[in-house]
């Protein structure tokens, strides 16, 4: 049952933007829920009767409607046209148009306009006191087969004074609710609803108009210090960091500059942090930008990682309550703990084995966080992990588990019991990922501390560290000189000799394989020196090898510029793991192949395509491996326009920040309180950037002013684009009277 409604006019939306506002609920009735518009043409013509008396007829043409509501799955509209006056109400109807909410009627109705007998003027001149008494009413109805009668779709009342001296009126009208159509209900009895409305209206100009502001923004990562950059200043002046983060991230992702920008602001924030335990704890511009990047680039990653198990939890409804106070009589505490433990174990495993699917852009950002944190806090050995886990676990996986509907993992918010289960799982996963020294102390509730004892094993910490090592590995080879090699996987496998000597025996031998983010090596046994080393940048593809090649299962090939290394894993799971992780670390190589040979080269030809040249191009498309880069549908000009709007909104803060720069430059004493909210590391450089920002914003402001002025001049009220509504009717009458002033 519908209790009430809140309706806000489009022109009023901007007044409530970004504010929590209480709205009074209004009654709901079928007669008040209308939408759409109607096109009418009215013409008043002079007629001389047989007796010589002059009278006037009103020709009303109902042309078409657009956007009528669909009622109970159908819309069979017709129009009822009435001429209203003190002593008359004539009604005529159009034909019913079946199965359309955009009907074309094209029907004309004639009404006699009664004139006084004393009327003798030969020229047409509508007398205002007579016209004011008449109005045309057009109502749209849905022809229903139900016994309750036809449904009201909306109507419009047109006073005949709109005809003016010309006697002709052609306009579109918004349909309005029926007058006094709602039930008599006291508004205060329905209650109130608190809403936070976010309203955005963009007028995007051609790209060249945004060049000065866009160039300033995209140059932000190269500004020293980064706190003096345009993007960082936007974060300083916005009321909420999230306001700045959303368009900035989308803009930098669009132009492929998100990693250097986030690396720069993260490095600056880490250098300002004194305690490694408080890294990225606040809602800074850095944390908000990384959050937004993970939401955009990591959505598919969440889908393939968490969605199957989340769906299972939401459909199984297993009892998982472990708080003795909240336990139902029919439930068993130990059974619930076991159910919860199994869920946590499964989610933990899918997360910690998903590193190969983590999008490249996220990995590059995590690499930057890891390196900056490790350099800043060299004594703390765990900071390289906690800097990354604070985002991937605390701000990505844990919130997605807690509220799967917000991350498009579920269509609706879970029921209370399932929501409680997901809360308990999220808490545990968050703590497992934090790598805190004392895990039990992280829980306020004793029952959670007791439950966590299940996971106080080193294997869980090792799994988290291996996962964090993998996702914080950079794909950019210019970083390798500063990056400490990270061991990603190792173990025994069987390899076929690579045949460096063309006439040598190509036999199979068991070797110890070791993969770091720098190289792939194999050794005679564990701990010995490498017999062969393949730099990661030399891996052109990693693909399965068909069993027919050597009559051996679980084989794959690591393709290099000169040859392929054929390897047999111990089982199919191991083979898949090695292929995934090798693909992951090599997916950014510039010379990666697009085709390969799925079978081996034996006895002078490729077994797959029978070509004899061992250098012949591959005959099968590469599988491509993993979704390394996410393509986003982003309009760079629109995001720049939104950033302009923010700068324009907070112009007073930009000016105050300029004043703060001047104050810092000439005064070395304690910082004035009104300027203390701004981060200003270099007053001169920051002032220079602020001046450029204000100049670019003012240029765009001039363009917007010109656009609005031109738009107002071209706006014709009553056109299809600007139909007449409640408020625009008075403006239309005024516009008509102004135009008549200049008529001859």
């Amino acid at each position: 049952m519908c209790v009430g409604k809140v309706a806000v006019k489009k022109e009023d939306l901007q007044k409530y933007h970004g504010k929590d506002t209480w709205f009074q609920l209004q009654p709901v009735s079928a007669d008040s829920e209308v939408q759409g518009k109607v096109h009418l043409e009215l013409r008043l013509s002079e007629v001389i009767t047989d007796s010589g008396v002059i009278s006037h007829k009103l020709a009303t043409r109902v042309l078409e409607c657009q956007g009528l509501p669909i009622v109970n799955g159908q819309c069979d509209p017709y129009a009822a046209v009435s001429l209203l006056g003190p002593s008359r109400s004539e009604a005529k109807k159009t034909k019913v148009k079946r199965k359309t909410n955009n009907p074309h009627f094209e029907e004309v109705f004639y009404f006699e306009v009664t004139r006084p007998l004393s009327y003798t003027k030969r020229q047409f001149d509508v007398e205002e006191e007579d016209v004011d008494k008449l109005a045309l009413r057009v109502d749209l109805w849905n022809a229903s087969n139900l016994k309750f009668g036809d449904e009201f779709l909306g109507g419009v009342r047109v006073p005949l004074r709109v005809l003016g001296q010309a006697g002709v009126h052609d306009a579109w009208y918004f349909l309005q609710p029926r007058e006094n159509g709602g039930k008599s209900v006291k508004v205060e009895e329905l209650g109130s609803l608190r809403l936070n409305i976010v309203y955005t209206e963009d007028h995007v100009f051609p790209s060249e108009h945004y060049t000065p502001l866009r160039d300033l923004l995209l140059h932000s990562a190269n500004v020293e210090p980064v706190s003096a950059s345009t993007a960082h200043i936007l974060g300083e002046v916005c009321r909420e960091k999230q306001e700045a983060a959303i368009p900035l991230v989308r803009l930098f992702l669009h132009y492929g500059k998100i990693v250097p920008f986030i690396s720069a602001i993260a490095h600056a924030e880490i250098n300002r942090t004194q305690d490694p335990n408080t890294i990225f704890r606040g809602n800074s511009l850095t944390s908000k930008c990384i959050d937004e990047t993970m939401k955009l680039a990591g959505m598919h990653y969440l889908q393939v990682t968490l969605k199957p198990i989340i769906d299972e939890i939401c459909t199984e409804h297993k009892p998982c309550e472990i708080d003795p106070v909240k336990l139902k009589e029919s439930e068993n505490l130990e059974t619930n703990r076991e159910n919860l433990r199994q869920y946590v174990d499964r989610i933990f495993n899918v997360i910690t084995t998903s590193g190969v699917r983590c999008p490249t852009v996220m990995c590059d950002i995590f690499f930057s966080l890891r390196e900056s944190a490790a350099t800043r806090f060299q004594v703390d050995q765990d900071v390289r992990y906690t800097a990354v886990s604070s985002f991937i676990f605390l701000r990505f996986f844990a919130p997605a588990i807690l509220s799967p509907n917000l991350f498009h993992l579920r269509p609706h918010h879970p029921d209370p019991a399932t929501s409680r289960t997901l809360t308990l799982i999220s808490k545990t996963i968050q703590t497992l990922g934090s790598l805190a020294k004392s895990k039990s102390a992280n829980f306020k509730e004793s029952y959670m501390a007791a439950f966590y004892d299940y996971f106080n094993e080193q294997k869980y910490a090792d799994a988290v560290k291996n996962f964090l090592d993998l996702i914080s590995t950079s794909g950019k080879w210019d970083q390798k000189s500063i990056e400490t090699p990270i061991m990603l996987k190792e173990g025994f496998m069987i390899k076929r000799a690579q045949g460096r000597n063309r006439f040598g025996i190509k036999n199979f031998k068991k070797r110890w394989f070791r993969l770091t983010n720098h190289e792939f090596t194999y050794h005679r046994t564990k701990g010995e020196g490498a017999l062969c080393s393949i730099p990661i940048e030399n891996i052109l593809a990693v693909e399965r090898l068909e069993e027919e090649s050597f009559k051996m299962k679980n084989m794959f090939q690591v393709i290099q510029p000169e040859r392929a290394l054929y390897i047999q894993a111990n089982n199919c799971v191991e083979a898949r793991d090695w292929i995934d992780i090798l693909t992951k670390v090599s997916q950014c190589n510039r010379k990666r192949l697009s085709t390969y040979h799925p079978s081996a080269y034996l006895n002078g030809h490729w077994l797959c395509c029978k070509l004899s040249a061992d250098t012949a191009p591959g005959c099968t498309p590469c599988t491509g491996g993993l979704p390394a880069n996410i393509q986003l549908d982003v309009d760079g000009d629109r995001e720049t326009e939104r950033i302009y709007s923010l700068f324009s909104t907070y112009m007073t803060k930009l000016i105050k920040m300029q004043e703060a720069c001047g104050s810092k430059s000439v005064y070395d004493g304690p910082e004035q309180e009104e300027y203390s909210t701004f981060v200003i590391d270099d007053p001169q450089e920051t002032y220079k950037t602020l001046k450029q920002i204000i100049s670019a914003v003012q240029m765009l402001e001039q363009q917007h002013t010109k656009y609005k002025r031109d738009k107002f001049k071209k706006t014709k009220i009553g056109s299809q684009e600007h139909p007449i509504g409640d408020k625009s009717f008075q403006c239309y009458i005024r516009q008509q009277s102004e135009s008549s002033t200049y008529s001859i």
Side-chain angles (χ1 to χ4, degrees), residues 105-204:
F105 295 108
E106 296 288 350
E107 294 190 40
V108 182
F109 302 98
Y110 293 94
F111 298 94
E112 278 201 19
V113 179
T114 304
R115 307 296 288 172
L117 292 176
S118 60
Y119 184 85
T120 58
K121 294 182 182 178
R122 299 299 297 174
Q123 73 176 65
F124 173 65
D125 182 13
V126 179
E127 296 180 15
E128 188 173 328
E129 61 270 23
D130 295 329
V131 174
D132 282 345
K133 297 175 183 178
L134 297 175
L136 189 79
R137 176 83 195 179
V138 180
D139 290 329
L140 274 297
W141 296 84
N142 179 49
S144 174
N145 296 322
L146 301 175
K147 62 181 180 180
F148 303 110
D150 297 346
E151 294 98 349
F152 179 73
L153 301 179
V156 61
R157 186 178 186 276
V158 185
L160 292 196
R161 68 176 184 271
V162 301
L163 291 166
Q165 293 183 349
V168 177
H169 175 64
D170 184 341
W172 284 82
Y173 281 83
F174 280 121
L175 294 175
Q176 303 295 327
R178 186 152 40 172
E179 294 174 3
N180 301 319
K183 297 178 182 178
S184 179
V185 179
K186 289 184 179 180
V187 173
E188 59 268 18
E189 293 177 358
L190 297 177
S192 301
L193 183 68
R194 189 176 74 173
L195 297 176
N196 187 303
I197 295 174
V198 177
Y199 175 72
T200 304
E201 182 176 316
D202 298 324
H203 300 286
V204 183

Side-chain angles (χ1 to χ4, degrees), residues 65-70 74-78 96-105 141-142 153:
C65 293
Q66 288 186 356
L68 298 179
I70 295 175
Q74 62 138 21
C75 187
D76 297 328
Y78 68 90
V96 175
K97 298 295 181 180
R98 300 289 179 184
K99 298 181 180 179
T100 177
N101 66 335
N102 298 304
H104 287 259
F105 295 108
W141 296 84
N142 179 49
L153 301 179

Side-chain angles (χ1 to χ4, degrees), residues 572-636:
C572 61
V573 175
E574 275 288 299
R576 181 72 264 169
D577 287 348
W578 276 104
I579 292 171
D580 282 350
I581 199 166
L582 282 162
T583 301
K584 174 67 179 175
V585 296
S586 62
Q587 63 189 353
C588 291
N589 289 349
R590 295 174 184 173
K591 296 181 181 179
R592 277 187 65 86
L593 298 178
S594 57
T595 59
Y596 78 107
H597 293 284
S599 296
Y601 183 82
L602 293 174
N603 302 320
H605 68 274
W606 292 100
L607 297 181
C608 44
C609 58
K610 310 305 180 186
L611 292 176
S612 57
D614 60 355
T615 57
C619 57
T620 302
C622 288
T623 57
L626 310 154
N629 294 298
I630 308 299
Q631 297 298 319
L632 299 171
D633 184 17
V634 174
D635 184 336

Side-chain angles (χ1 to χ4, degrees), residues 262-297:
I262 288 183
S263 298
I265 60 175
H267 184 73
E269 183 173 333
I270 288 171
N271 284 343
R272 286 194 295 268
T273 304
Q274 301 303 315
D275 184 354
N277 295 315
T278 61
I279 273 187
F280 303 124
R281 285 292 177 88
N283 288 322
S284 63
L285 181 64
T286 304
S287 60
K288 289 299 181 184
C289 283
I290 297 176
D291 287 351
E292 192 62 26
T293 303
M294 292 192 298
K295 282 181 185 176
L296 290 172

